[in-house]
């Protein structure tokens, strides 16, 4: 595990610990974040801690053609109760992801510095969001990093049941039409596994970046 300085670089991902920790420190500048994502690395830490950079092995991903849409979700989509938009209110989405209560998670990894950094990435056209609206109220959504052939999912939220899944399905279908090869989900999650995500080796994942 390496300690980073102001110089923008990362050690080879093969040097990551078994837990996936590759490096500590550095900053959240757009240049460093872009280098990280293009190298299969992402930041994940808590308020008051130094920045921790991860490159886990295996990696949780979703190949768009493997998306599983349940009967419940199909019915919800047909009801047309929600309006879904793409990249129309990024700051509102990341703010909700930051503050939404989560089961078995007392705090948030989306620190104020992290939020500011991703808003900067949005401003330069790299960070994108999906918004789910009900009667002009934002009730669900997600955001991530768009690298073209790979979309790196970061966080999602729901204020109304299944709206984060609705945002996810919308995103995956949009990515598939755009020719995106893979959606990066980072680490194993039962919720994402139910939608068709799977684990692949880090070496295999890096072929898509």
């Amino acid at each position: 595990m390496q300690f980073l300085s102001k110089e923008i670089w990362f050690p080879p991902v093969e040097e990551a610990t078994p837990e996936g920790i590759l490096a500590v420190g550095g900053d959240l500048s757009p240049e460093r974040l872009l280098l990280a994502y293009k190298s299969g690395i992402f930041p994940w830490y808590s308020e008051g801690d130094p920045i921790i950079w991860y490159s886990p092995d295996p990696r949780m991903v979703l190949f768009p053609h493997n998306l599983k849409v349940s009967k419940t979700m199909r019915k919800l989509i047909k009801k047309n109760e929600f309006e879904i938009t793409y990249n129309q209110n990024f700051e509102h989405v990341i703010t909700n992801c930051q503050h939404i209560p989560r089961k078995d998670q007392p705090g948030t990894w989306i620190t104020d510095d992290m939020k500011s950094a991703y808003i900067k990435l949005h401003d330069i056209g790299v960070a994108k969001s999906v918004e789910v609206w009900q009667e002009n109220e934002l009730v669900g959504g997600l955001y991530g990093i768009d690298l073209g052939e790979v979309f790196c999912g970061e966080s999602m939220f729901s204020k109304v049941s299944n709206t984060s899944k609705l945002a996810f399905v919308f995103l995956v279908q949009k990515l598939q039409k755009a020719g995106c090869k893979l959606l990066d989900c980072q680490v194993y999650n039962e919720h994402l596994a139910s939608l068709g995500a799977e684990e692949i080796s880090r070496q295999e994942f890096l072929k898509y970046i």
Side-chain angles (χ1 to χ4, degrees), residues 46-182:
S46 300
E47 192 75 57
D49 293 337
I51 302 169
I52 302 175
W53 300 92
Y54 285 81
S55 184
D57 188 13
R59 191 85 169 213
M60 189 74 164
V61 305
L62 174 71
F63 295 100
H65 62 273
N66 287 338
L67 174 67
K68 295 178 182 178
V69 184
S70 66
K71 290 182 179 179
T72 300
M73 284 304 300
R74 292 183 190 277
K75 289 180 181 178
L76 184 63
I77 293 170
K78 286 183 178 180
K79 285 183 178 180
N80 204 27
E81 294 180 355
F82 302 94
E83 179 187 0
I84 306 176
T85 56
Y86 183 68
N87 207 33
Q88 295 300 303
N89 204 323
F90 183 88
E91 189 167 347
H92 201 173
V93 170
I94 194 171
T95 298
N96 276 275
C97 288
Q98 180 184 30
H99 295 295
I100 200 78
R102 301 180 191 275
K103 184 179 179 182
D104 301 325
Q105 185 176 320
T108 177
W109 62 269
I110 306 174
T111 66
D112 289 340
D113 287 344
M114 184 84 79
K115 177 181 171 182
S116 296
Y118 283 82
I119 289 174
K120 289 178 182 177
L121 288 179
H122 170 70
D123 290 341
I124 63 174
V126 177
K128 307 285 181 66
S129 61
V130 176
E131 305 88 15
V132 181
W133 307 86
Q134 185 177 50
E135 298 178 354
N136 297 317
E137 179 186 355
L138 185 66
V139 294
L142 58 81
Y143 75 93
I145 303 300
D146 186 357
L147 298 178
E149 293 189 344
V150 173
F151 188 97
C152 304
E154 280 297 316
S155 187
M156 58 177 64
F157 80 96
S158 287
K159 290 185 176 179
V160 174
S161 181
N162 288 320
T163 51
S164 64
K165 285 186 179 180
L166 198 58
F168 188 83
V169 170
F170 173 90
L171 174 66
V172 175
Q173 292 175 340
K174 182 177 180 63
L175 293 176
Q176 187 169 19
K177 290 179 182 178
C180 180
K181 295 181 179 179
L182 182 149

Side-chain angles (χ1 to χ4, degrees), residues 14-67:
E14 291 78 16
E15 294 184 13
T17 68
E19 297 78 22
I21 299 175
L22 177 66
V24 176
D27 56 40
L28 295 172
S29 66
E31 295 80 9
R32 191 186 297 274
L33 283 169
L34 282 173
L35 175 61
Y37 282 101
K38 290 177 180 179
S39 305
I41 303 163
F42 59 88
W44 192 13
Y45 66 105
S46 300
E47 192 75 57
D49 293 337
I51 302 169
I52 302 175
W53 300 92
Y54 285 81
S55 184
D57 188 13
R59 191 85 169 213
M60 189 74 164
V61 305
L62 174 71
F63 295 100
H65 62 273
N66 287 338
L67 174 67

